[in-house]
């Protein structure tokens, strides 16, 4: 079962709401961007469909995720595509093995040398893996658009120029796949990174988090993020969460959209 949490001043209801009455048609409409919802005071939800779709491609991935056939990271990447444009500047706050960095690069590179990906990780192995993946996957001109830093994500403001219009900051939290599982992201540094991201993100930008909770400290990190997101201004932010209820160790997707 999937729990969706959506925080916005448009819906005067508690942040946590189980959408258990959605039909498959409603889920498909939501995936296509054709769904509008309103809640009565008794908690019942009215669903209406519009004729226009602005989120092409979302249906298959979202439905695959709901039915356990797609990974949370694939959903995240598809959401990014509806925010990031060619020539944008973005941040991969946790490079890991480089797959998010590569996905971002493909979104911002336009062949003219515009666009930039700032990637960071505290582990040199992660940056070496990321660099190797880029060497295998893109041409040298495109790779020059990626700036890699061996630095904690809490210090992203030290590497992103102050005048930058930043469209996306993405986190993939936990430990390095294939690396030392004792080295993980922590609540203490992640909260500082989120605070930094909210300061430098442009209006219309997105903070994306895939939060892994199966390691020691992972659940605490998730709760720290949830508390942080819940305190963001509803006038300026729309915060949502996707979580599998009967898979307690499954990664949790969180999106913070800046109006």
């Amino acid at each position: 079962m999937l729990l969706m949490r959506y925080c916005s001043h448009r819906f005067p209801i508690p942040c946590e709401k189980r959408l258990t009455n959605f039909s498959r048609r409603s889920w498909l409409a939501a995936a296509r961007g054709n769904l509008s919802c309103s809640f009565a005071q008794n908690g019942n939800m009215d669903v209406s469909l519009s004729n226009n779709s602005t989120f092409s491609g979302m249906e298959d991935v979202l439905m695959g995720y709901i039915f356990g056939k797609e990974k949370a990271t694939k959903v995240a990447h598809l959401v990014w595509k509806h925010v990031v444009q060619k020539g944008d500047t973005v941040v991969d706050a946790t490079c890991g093995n480089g797959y998010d960095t590569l996905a971002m690069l493909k979104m911002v590179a336009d062949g003219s040398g515009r666009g930039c990906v700032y990637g960071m990780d505290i582990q040199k192995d992660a940056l070496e893996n990321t660099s190797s993946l880029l060497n295998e996957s893109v041409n040298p001109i495109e790779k020059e658009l990626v700036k890699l830093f061996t630095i904690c994500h809490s210090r992203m403001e030290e590497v992103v120029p102050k005048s930058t219009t930043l469209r996306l900051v993405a986190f993939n939290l936990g430990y390095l796949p294939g690396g030392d599982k004792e080295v993980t992201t922590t609540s203490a540094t992640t909260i500082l990174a989120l605070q930094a991201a909210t300061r430098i993100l442009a209006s219309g930008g997105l903070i994306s988090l895939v939060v892994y909770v199966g390691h020691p400290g992972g659940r605490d990190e998730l709760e720290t993020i949830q508390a942080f997101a819940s305190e963001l201004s509803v006038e300026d932010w729309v915060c949502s969460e996707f979580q599998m209820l009967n898979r307690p160790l499954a990664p949790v997707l969180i999106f913070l959209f800046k109006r």
Side-chain angles (χ1 to χ4, degrees), residues 37-99:
C37 308
S38 62
F39 293 89
Q41 291 184 353
N42 62 6
N44 293 328
M45 180 172 63
D46 296 323
V47 178
S48 61
L49 302 177
S50 64
N51 293 324
N52 297 322
S53 172
T54 58
F55 298 105
S56 62
M58 186 72 78
E59 174 186 322
D60 290 342
V61 174
L62 184 55
M63 292 306 299
Y65 177 67
I66 291 169
F67 293 120
K69 296 180 180 179
E70 295 287 4
K71 294 182 178 180
T73 50
K74 189 166 184 177
V75 177
H77 289 184
L78 188 57
V79 172
W80 301 351
K81 289 181 179 179
H82 294 288
V83 176
V84 177
Q85 300 178 10
K86 298 295 185 182
D88 277 345
T89 299
V90 298
V91 168
D92 185 351
T94 50
C95 283
N97 287 319
Y99 294 103

Side-chain angles (χ1 to χ4, degrees), residues 36 42 46 53 69 88-89 110 136 144 162-163 175 190:
S36 62
N42 62 6
D46 296 323
S53 172
K69 296 180 180 179
D88 277 345
T89 299
D110 64 356
E136 297 170 0
E144 288 182 0
K162 292 183 179 179
S163 59
Y175 55 82
T190 295

